[in-house]
Amino acid sequence: MEDLQDLRVHENEMWGYLPDTFWKLTKMKKLWLQDTLECEQDEADEWKCMRSRDKGFQGSISPEIGNWKKLSQLLLNNNPFTGVLPAELGLCKELSRLHVHQTFITGVVPPEICLLRDEELFDHTGQVGVFYADCRPNNMTEDPFISCDCCSDCCDHTHGVCVSDD
């Protein structure tokens, strides 16, 4: 498992804590855990699924993620992750997509992460990196979950509305 480079389990019904050993997967390039679903069967025996930010993968992002030198995509949105974004994420120089909106991650985005935001993508397409976070006023009246000067798209945690900052 230590050679795992690409893990995509988006739109899933899995939940629980990521083990500490997970953050030791230093060859990881793409991690997509976004959009956890909560599904129920109705009276007509049909399945209804909705995205849920209250169920899904939990815990916080370990500073060990800074050892994921080849990481290009980290999509964690719509999961109950908590804590802050570790400054060590700024060591992932190939990071071009970071989605942490619709989580419970709070605090100030470290400048090390902001330095990555406007760099060219690793494939040299000339596009700028995409960074979604809950940096709009929550419920249009409360403080945002995250304070950020470099998000490409700021989202309202309660309403799920994201607005481009470019």
Side-chain angles (χ1 to χ4, degrees):
M1 180 125 159
E2 67 266 358
D3 291 330
L4 186 64
Q5 296 180 21
D6 192 336
L7 179 60
R8 301 180 197 194
V9 290
H10 58 290
E11 295 186 347
N12 63 76
E13 284 187 82
M14 295 185 284
W15 51 78
Y17 287 91
L18 297 176
D20 291 339
T21 55
F22 182 80
W23 302 106
K24 297 187 185 312
L25 300 173
T26 59
K27 296 181 181 178
M28 188 69 69
K29 293 180 180 180
K30 294 180 183 177
L31 178 60
W32 292 10
L33 301 180
Q34 82 274 22
D35 298 332
T36 298
L37 301 175
E38 187 172 358
C39 298
E40 293 180 355
Q41 201 168 10
D42 64 16
E43 297 89 28
D45 247 8
E46 293 185 26
W47 287 96
K48 303 283 185 198
C49 296
M50 295 176 48
R51 287 185 179 146
S52 174
R53 65 178 158 245
D54 298 319
K55 285 190 176 179
F57 295 103
Q58 300 176 36
S60 58
I61 302 171
S62 171
E64 289 188 65
I65 199 166
N67 294 322
W68 292 11
K69 302 297 184 196
K70 299 284 185 184
L71 183 65
S72 65
Q73 298 180 13
L74 180 61
L75 285 64
L76 304 177
N77 51 297
N78 286 308
N79 280 289
F81 282 104
T82 57
V84 298
L85 290 174
E88 291 82 357
L89 193 55
L91 297 172
C92 302
K93 299 296 183 192
E94 296 181 20
L95 187 63
S96 62
R97 288 181 65 196
L98 176 59
H99 291 189
V100 294
H101 58 295
Q102 301 296 300
T103 67
F104 296 96
I105 294 173
T106 59
V108 176
V109 174
E112 294 86 349
I113 296 172
C114 288
L115 290 174
L116 294 176
R117 198 261 161 173
D118 288 325
E119 293 182 5
E120 285 190 13
L121 296 178
F122 182 66
D123 63 5
H124 305 292
T125 63
Q127 300 175 5
V128 294
V130 177
F131 178 13
Y132 282 74
D134 289 332
C135 49
R136 288 185 58 78
N138 186 39
N139 203 17
M140 296 186 285
T141 59
E142 302 167 17
D143 289 338
F145 277 45
I146 290 181
S147 176
C148 181
D149 292 331
C150 60
C151 295
S152 60
D153 295 78
C154 286
C155 306
D156 176 329
H157 180 84
T158 301
H159 293 282
V161 174
C162 298
V163 176
S164 175
D165 195 32
D166 290 340

